[in-house]
Amino acid sequence: MQVIDLHCDVLLKLSQGKGKLRFRDSKELDVNFERLRKGKVKVQFFAVFLEPEIPAEQKFVEALNQIDYFYEEVLKKNPEMKHIKEWSDIEKLKEGEIGAVLTLEGADAIGNDLMKLRTLYRLGVKLVGLTWNFANYAADGVMEERGGGLTRFGKEVVRLNNEQKVFTDVSHLSERGFWEVMELADYPIASHSNAKSLCNHPRNLTDEQAKALFQKGGMVHVVYNPPFIKENGNASIGDLVRHIDHFCSLGGVKQIGLGSDFDGIEQKVKNLEDASKTQNLILALLKYYKEDEVKGFAYRNFLEHLPK
């Protein structure tokens, strides 16, 4: 069964590898072409993520560097990888082709400059998370102690996302920021978050947040990171399925998807260690849900909630 995965950090690894890693088949990468093909991942979202210690004046250049790896290493050297520049491009994918979507994980790269954001849209960014875990010019992240919401600049970013039919990602956002996004965003989404009531981690969503996303027509994509699945970090595929089940109980059966966070996580779920193992999760889901529902989780729910 084909899958759409809304989050991986392979561009960061490619950048850190300084040309020594091959997207085609380097085993150091959780997500590479061979593993995507084996796992039947039809569309992979590629995050641009900047390490917090990068000096502010270098952040936009580092974002462009990761995007250069996206174009040169992911797309150019793998003709089966097709850049999704418009949402309609997903429907045009042929047999054997894999769609590739650029995303921005945290607005740190743009500072307080909307011109930089518009540049990233032109390069193909289709989903924007306002923060990583800490504060920037746009908003506070979940680990920022003051727990502030969106700044005036952050609200401008959301409005521009709306205009461009770009998703505003609430994963990593402070709770206050989350509720402000719910008021402003036309296309809110959690690209890689789980249920806080099952695993009390700051990165997870409360039931109230999940319900608000579902009521607004947004999506929640569950993440494969063990500390977000089970509090002791010793998580199985069955434990991850419980998060999907919980979101279903909140009314989200048609608004749940997958967001692995591969190449951005240190611990792994057994039998779900990289993109090639993706079908192990699908097979587990088929034991508990109708095939039609599993197709929804795997890819169809996302396609039915694309910006129009």
Side-chain angles (χ1 to χ4, degrees), residues 114-274:
L114 291 175
M115 178 274 289
K116 291 178 177 175
L117 179 61
R118 289 192 292 269
T119 299
L120 296 181
Y121 291 148
R122 293 179 188 120
L123 289 169
V125 166
K126 304 296 287 177
L127 178 151
V128 172
L130 298 178
T131 63
W132 185 57
N133 288 336
F134 306 110
N136 56 26
Y137 283 108
D140 275 10
V142 293
M143 307 302 277
E144 194 67 43
E145 291 179 6
R146 66 184 172 181
L150 306 189
T151 63
R152 187 177 300 171
F153 176 74
K155 291 174 182 177
E156 284 296 312
V157 171
V158 176
R159 290 189 190 102
L160 263 183
N161 287 344
N162 292 344
E163 285 177 23
Q164 296 293 320
K165 294 185 169 27
V166 165
F167 285 105
T168 297
D169 188 2
V170 299
S171 291
H172 289 287
L173 191 57
S174 68
E175 188 156 354
R176 182 174 168 188
F178 171 92
W179 292 111
E180 291 176 350
V181 165
M182 285 300 101
E183 291 177 21
L184 293 170
D186 291 341
Y187 313 109
I189 200 163
S191 68
H192 57 307
S193 293
N194 289 341
K196 190 175 268 190
S197 63
L198 296 189
C199 179
N200 188 22
H201 192 286
R203 273 279 285 102
N204 286 340
L205 299 169
T206 66
D207 288 0
E208 290 72 26
Q209 287 176 305
K211 284 190 239 182
L213 268 168
F214 298 149
Q215 286 163 8
K216 182 100 182 194
M219 297 269 299
V220 175
H221 285 243
V222 296
V223 58
Y224 308 172
N225 190 17
F228 303 167
I229 298 170
K230 202 171 181 182
E231 284 172 35
N232 65 9
N234 185 20
S236 66
I237 288 178
D239 293 320
L240 180 57
V241 171
R242 278 189 270 281
H243 284 265
I244 291 173
D245 206 47
H246 184 75
F247 287 133
C248 286
S249 75
L250 301 177
V253 67
K254 295 192 173 176
Q255 289 161 270
I256 297 165
L258 306 175
S260 68
D261 206 3
F262 282 140
D263 290 302
I265 54 179
E266 294 177 6
Q267 293 173 257
K268 304 289 175 62
V269 174
K270 188 179 179 184
N271 297 320
L272 194 56
E273 293 90 355
D274 60 58

Side-chain angles (χ1 to χ4, degrees), residues 11 62-74:
L11 297 182
E62 174 53 25
L64 294 179
N65 182 50
Q66 290 187 26
I67 291 171
D68 189 57
Y69 276 102
F70 176 78
Y71 276 91
E72 295 297 315
E73 181 61 36
V74 175

